[in-house]
Amino acid sequence: DGGITQSPKYLFRKEGQNVTLSCEQNLNHDAMYWYRQDPGQGLRLIYYSQIVNDFQKGDIAEGYSVSREKKESFPLTVTSAQKNPTAFYLCASSSRQGAFFGQGTRLTVV
Amino acid sequence: GQSLEQPSEVTAVEGAIVQINCTYQTSGFYGLSWYQQHDGGAPTFLSYNALDGLEETGRFSSFLSRSDSYGYLLLQELQMKDSASYFCAVLNDYKLSFGAGTTVTVRA
């Protein structure tokens, strides 16, 4: 089946640790995105990539890093520099007409 | 940059019609899209408008006026399962930015 796979669904991290969230798509989309969503809030853009080996900062990139070594994969690293990382993280890919999302990863810092 | 405005909440009864407006400001524009998100879930794509006019997909329709930087999502024959958050999003080149969302509550 075509789609986007995010893993893990739930993630717990100790303060001061980096953690990497996985995102894989088999929709053959060029563009991929990472968003953060806090309870009751909208989606805020962290990073996006329109092509392999190229990516752009979104509106809240500080404390995050990404890579795009393959068209299918766009992993997000939440670094220890991110002061308030507990949130729902959503990955998406887009055909320009519309974006399709993974199931999301709920990250909790303990 | 981009900014989008939409109402925060709308409440309606089953069978009614709801219109969710979205106004946007952006330095470039490729299209306006709409998404539905149920509590605890991920957003799902509903519709996309690149040109002025109305796009109809079943009970949902979306409208765009590029000259007014305005669009709306029309939900017809409301059902309980339509209770969710609805987001408009603007595409500028490859940057896809979302509004804060409108919570639609459907009452029996």
Side-chain angles (χ1 to χ4, degrees):
Chain A
D1 282 1
I4 300 180
T5 302
Q6 285 188 246
S7 60
K9 189 172 182 180
Y10 298 95
L11 188 58
F12 295 87
R13 184 196 103 173
K14 292 183 178 180
E15 278 194 45
Q17 288 182 338
N18 292 357
V19 62
T20 297
L21 281 58
S22 169
C23 179
E24 302 278 332
Q25 57 105 353
N26 60 6
L27 298 170
N28 201 33
H29 290 162
D30 288 319
M32 296 189 73
Y33 304 84
W34 275 105
Y35 295 91
R36 169 183 172 137
Q37 187 175 36
D38 294 288
Q41 304 297 311
L43 282 70
R44 292 187 291 167
L45 182 62
I46 304 172
Y47 269 98
Y48 64 104
S49 168
Q50 61 190 70
I51 197 170
V52 173
N53 292 324
D54 188 39
F55 47 83
Q56 312 295 329
K57 291 182 179 180
D59 301 316
I60 56 164
E62 185 174 351
Y64 301 98
S65 66
V66 294
S67 63
R68 186 85 187 275
E69 297 177 0
K70 300 186 301 182
K71 186 175 184 177
E72 300 79 16
S73 179
F74 192 41
L76 173 74
T77 297
V78 183
T79 75
S80 56
Q82 170 52 236
K83 297 306 178 188
N84 186 21
T86 294
F88 187 38
Y89 290 88
L90 289 155
C91 177
S93 70
S94 174
S95 65
R96 277 195 177 263
Q97 281 80 13
F100 298 87
F101 286 82
Q103 66 175 0
T105 294
R106 293 192 184 277
L107 174 64
T108 303
V109 175
V110 297
Chain B
Q2 287 112 319
S3 69
L4 298 94
E5 289 192 16
Q6 51 182 127
S8 58
E9 295 181 14
V10 173
T11 300
V13 297
E14 272 188 300
I17 298 173
V18 161
Q19 179 172 315
I20 302 170
N21 298 321
C22 175
T23 58
Y24 58 88
Q25 290 185 339
T26 179
S27 54
F29 181 83
Y30 280 75
L32 186 73
S33 52
W34 291 90
Y35 300 81
Q36 178 192 62
Q37 185 180 31
H38 285 101
D39 259 356
T44 57
F45 170 75
L46 292 177
S47 68
Y48 173 78
N49 296 72
L51 303 175
D52 288 0
L54 189 69
E55 293 283 341
E56 297 181 80
T57 309
R59 294 186 297 112
F60 296 175
S61 302
S62 58
F63 172 82
L64 175 66
S65 169
R66 294 174 64 127
S67 60
D68 296 322
S69 296
Y70 163 77
Y72 66 72
L73 180 70
L74 195 69
L75 286 63
Q76 303 180 77
E77 302 172 20
L78 274 180
Q79 301 176 10
M80 297 298 289
K81 67 179 182 180
D82 298 330
S83 290
S85 293
Y86 293 83
F87 297 89
C88 58
V90 66
L91 184 64
N92 175 7
D93 197 0
Y94 280 91
K95 185 176 184 181
L96 184 63
S97 299
F98 284 75
T102 300
T103 300
V104 173
T105 302
V106 181
R107 295 189 171 164

